[in-house]
Amino acid sequence: MSQPVTPRRTTRASTSAPDSPSSPPKSRSKPSPRRQLLAAAAPDSPSSPPKSRPKPSPRRQLLAAAAPVPATDDNPLAALLEALPGRRAQARDLLRLLAPAPALPVLLHGGAATGKTRALLLALRHLRLHLRPTPPLVYAALRSLPSPRALFASILSQLKAPSSSTSSRQRVPDKPSDFVPALRDALAGVVSQGENVYLVFDNLEVVRGWDKGGQLVSLLLRLHDLLRLPQVVLVYVSSAAPDAYYTMTGSVEPNHVYFPDYTVDEVHGILMRGQPNPKLYSSFLSVVLKPLFRVTRRVDELAAVLEPLFRRYCEPLGSLNGVPDEGIRRRLYEHLQPHLAVAQNETFSVPIRASLDDCKDGISGGKGSVKRQFGGRDGLSSELEFHMSVSAKYLLLSAFLASRNPATLDAALFDATGGTDSRNRKRKSSQASIDRKDTMAEELLMKGPGTFPLERLLAIFQCITSVSEDMLDEVECEDTIMGGSGMNALMSDVLLQLSTLCNSNFLSKSRSCPLEGSGRYRSNIDEDLALKVARSVSFPLSKYMYRR
Amino acid sequence: MRKRRGEVLDMVLEDLKKEHPDAISVIRLNGMLHSDDNCATKEIARQLCLEHQLSFSKMASSDDNTDFMIDMLRECGLAHKTVIFVLEEFDLFAQGKQRLLYSLLDAMQTLTSQAVVIGISCRLDADQLLEKRVRSRFSHRKLLFVPSSLDGIQRLMEHLLMLEDSSLPKNYVTEYNSRLTSIFGNKKFKGILGSLTDADATTSNILRFLFRVVSYMDMESGLLSMECFTHALSCMQRQPKLDSLQDLSILELYILVCMNRLEDKEQNSYNFNSIMKEYRSIQDAYKTSDKYATTVCFRAFEHLLDRELITFADSKGRNVALEYRPVKLLISSRELAQSLELNTTCPAVLQKLLDRERYM
């Protein structure tokens, strides 16, 4: 038992020595003049990660910032903890687990927008600050890599020395069996100089969705054993819990570090950073944050919705510089309250520039206009936000009706003249029919929109376009598109429009039975969107919809 | 028990190599990388070339490689050299057609070759996975590595943690060792060890635990204390799903409770629309302040999907919109009830809705 274990034992002895790299900064000697010169001569790296607004920092910037900068302040540990609000425990954990080498692999997991990558890169920057030569950091951003081959290429290119010109000779490995020896060779070249290499895999959970992703994930998690290079420290960042990665084989499980979501107070602290007027913003947050927190706890979504709300909040104030007192605060709150109620009921989408300007210029009085303005931002408006050709709109409406109404109703709704049968035959609803309606309602909830063959779609389309033609003839519209000759134009590119709608996912093609001939389609839009489309072409959709 | 097997094997091979230099060549294959036959034969050929200082051509086809392997085996046999094939993750080689295993074991049957095939696997039934023709060539010799007893583990820990280096100051070493001995004798430590090994008694788990313990070492004094062990144990015993449940917003908890109620009502499959119906009925009945629009609820629903607390019950429905696909819970009712109790901001009505089903 002695031989294989001894290497580890000396490791532990070396970590137990009081002068390990992760010792607190107070015991570190001041850098000598020569070191300061060297540090000054080091290539300029971009500034420290932005501490201002709570927008999630772009990872490229962080990566560049993860390159060690010369230590300018006396207490870099405190600076690190300051840059990671609410993450003190996790940062300390990371420093503890990553500092000694050889280190076991580490898995960071937690929900989205919890600061995992940021904490990791800042901690690595802090660790690599004190080591000369700087250990290389290989970062594989799995979310932006489309395939295993791209992943292998990315890692190997980061490991290759920039002076090497033999890159053209070596092909990028396609299969893991070629990649692991290539990686081992590249790493052996680096660690032979005695330094550590940090290999980071970010967003490991996306690999599961790749082709043969399951095998690749278990391979990546086993790299520690396959490489057998103790100076390589592997770090995995994942939004999926470790349960997702348990395999049947006994692998070295990485050490887990869990990143919980931020609490209300931590979010408060994060959002307060870099605000020009802290008192005003904190009075704003004290009324707004708690209700919005009940809906979602993600900082990025909250930041997106708070921005326009804050603008609304400050509207009654002349300038943004004042410190509000009690009376002003109450007034501001009353002004904000209707907007808050609306904002809570909308999904937090980032507004586009144009509609923001509309908001600013719009009238800010009355609840009706408030709803419209807010709605214009977030898509609950009564108007369609994108452009569609008229024939496409009619096609969409026909698809919606075809999916929604049972086929037997077509004859009643669309008679020969294309008009609806407006006689509402009122029948006494018996208990059986009520039950039947309930079960049909249940089915509609469960199964979703039904499928229809192409012929039915085209038939309905022809009916409703002829209806609109009639209606517009009555109204004597001057619009040339809707003139009689224009109808042929509508019909001619129907099939083209159909394929466009399928590609945009408004319609989807179901599996077609080979006996039946042409394929069956299904409409994917919901009632709100259909009503909007109908309104935009002045089509009385509700008359045609099957009411249960 | 991968670590021990691999290392014991390595030790034995090292000893053998020392005893009989030049008489042994080792070819290592790994099931994770080389389960494909072509890759495997290429790797075997490459390693054989490396061992015997021959040049290896990457362009050689699989048949060429196999012929080369057979030739080499014959040559080695004639030269009285033993070739040892070490197949790690042996069970992964047993997937598919097992052509490689068959050709390897077949090549060994010839009189002139002196080869040994050693397979390492975690599965006890690895040999049951073999095809009949492969199993008939297998010698059925199995070595089982059992996890060690509690005493063995304790001895291992002592061996790993005790310092014997003379490069460190003497009084530090003695103080460190004495501290450690007192910890090992403590009853609390036995409890920690028992709780650790109840879950997983493999060496890799013990090593992970010890790594954590050492990472908690007090930097000022350089000594280990009982807190290091307790901290390390609590880190190892986290429950990710419960942690995840603590991170949910109130609306997401509402959705989970609605799903739980639907499952209780014995609805075999339900989708987002059914959940919304249940949600609205709860809101109408209790008139809480948490009534939100469908789009907002759908966003919360998507968050739950991301966290893998719920998932789609059908794996194939691609053509159907998300609202109509059946979903199911991935947490038990007990976990949900437990997390609601631990959640300080949870509204009382949620507890009431769940408690009716008496899960605690």
Side-chain angles (χ1 to χ4, degrees), chain B residues 85-256:
Chain B
F85 290 92
V86 177
L87 301 177
E88 295 183 13
E89 311 305 333
F90 186 69
D91 42 305
L92 293 176
F93 281 110
Q95 291 169 355
K97 287 219 179 94
Q98 303 179 11
R99 260 190 5 221
L100 171 75
L101 287 177
Y102 177 68
S103 51
L104 263 185
L105 291 175
D106 202 33
M108 280 172 29
Q109 303 284 51
T110 60
L111 285 171
T112 53
S113 68
Q114 265 181 291
V116 181
V117 174
I118 304 179
I120 306 182
S121 168
C122 291
R123 290 181 63 162
L124 291 175
D125 62 343
D127 55 339
Q128 305 296 326
L129 298 170
L130 298 174
E131 277 177 11
K132 219 163 56 119
R133 58 177 185 166
V134 179
R135 201 177 322 144
S136 60
R137 287 169 172 75
F138 175 53
S139 69
H140 293 278
R141 280 185 289 185
K142 286 205 301 195
L143 278 176
L144 198 59
F145 282 74
V146 277
S148 30
S149 62
L150 217 56
D151 287 332
I153 292 177
Q154 178 147 353
R155 263 181 287 130
L156 171 66
M157 277 189 165
E158 285 172 15
H159 188 79
L160 287 174
L161 287 180
M162 292 286 199
L163 281 180
E164 284 170 18
D165 252 357
S166 53
S167 56
L168 297 167
K170 265 268 178 280
N171 45 357
Y172 166 70
V173 171
T174 39
E175 191 182 344
Y176 176 86
N177 282 344
S178 65
R179 262 287 188 101
L180 213 50
T181 333
S182 69
I183 291 178
F184 283 145
N186 195 333
K187 204 162 55 159
K188 203 166 160 193
F189 173 76
K190 300 262 194 291
I192 291 177
L193 193 61
S195 148
L196 182 71
T197 50
D198 277 345
D200 188 355
T202 54
T203 322
S204 52
N205 201 36
I206 305 289
L207 284 175
R208 229 167 52 124
F209 173 68
L210 289 180
F211 186 87
R212 274 242 154 156
V213 167
V214 174
S215 76
Y216 277 112
M217 172 188 288
D218 180 20
M219 279 299 144
E220 303 276 337
S221 60
L223 299 171
L224 290 176
S225 63
M226 187 55 86
E227 278 78 35
C228 303
F229 288 85
T230 43
H231 270 156
L233 186 69
S234 65
C235 284
M236 306 261 301
Q237 288 186 336
R238 292 203 84 116
Q239 301 192 48
K241 282 255 157 65
L242 283 183
D243 290 333
S244 216
L245 281 171
Q246 289 303 105
D247 282 344
L248 295 181
S249 68
I250 306 288
L251 179 59
E252 289 159 6
L253 285 173
Y254 262 104
I255 294 183
L256 284 180

Side-chain angles (χ1 to χ4, degrees), chain A residues 96 208 222 250 254 258, chain B residues 2 89 208 215 247 277 308:
Chain A
R96 243 185 252 126
R208 294 181 295 169
R222 296 280 287 285
Y258 177 61
Chain B
R2 280 195 63 259
E89 311 305 333
R208 229 167 52 124
S215 76
D247 282 344
K277 207 168 90 157
E308 300 191 342

Side-chain angles (χ1 to χ4, degrees), chain A residues 158-177:
Chain A
Q158 288 182 56
L159 277 173
K160 237 178 261 298
S163 55
S164 149
S165 56
T166 56
S167 49
S168 54
R169 206 164 25 116
Q170 307 188 335
R171 278 173 54 241
V172 173
D174 261 334
K175 292 187 270 209
S177 56

Side-chain angles (χ1 to χ4, degrees), chain A residues 37 42 55-56 69 79 106 164 166 180 216 245 296 324 329 370 393 398 433 447 492 494 499 507:
Chain A
L37 272 176
K55 278 200 286 275
V69 294
V106 181
S164 149
T166 56
V180 173
L216 190 57
Y245 303 115
T296 176
R329 255 190 245 153
V370 161
K393 286 185 186 167
S398 347
S433 70
K447 276 203 306 202
S492 61
V494 159
S499 71
L507 296 183

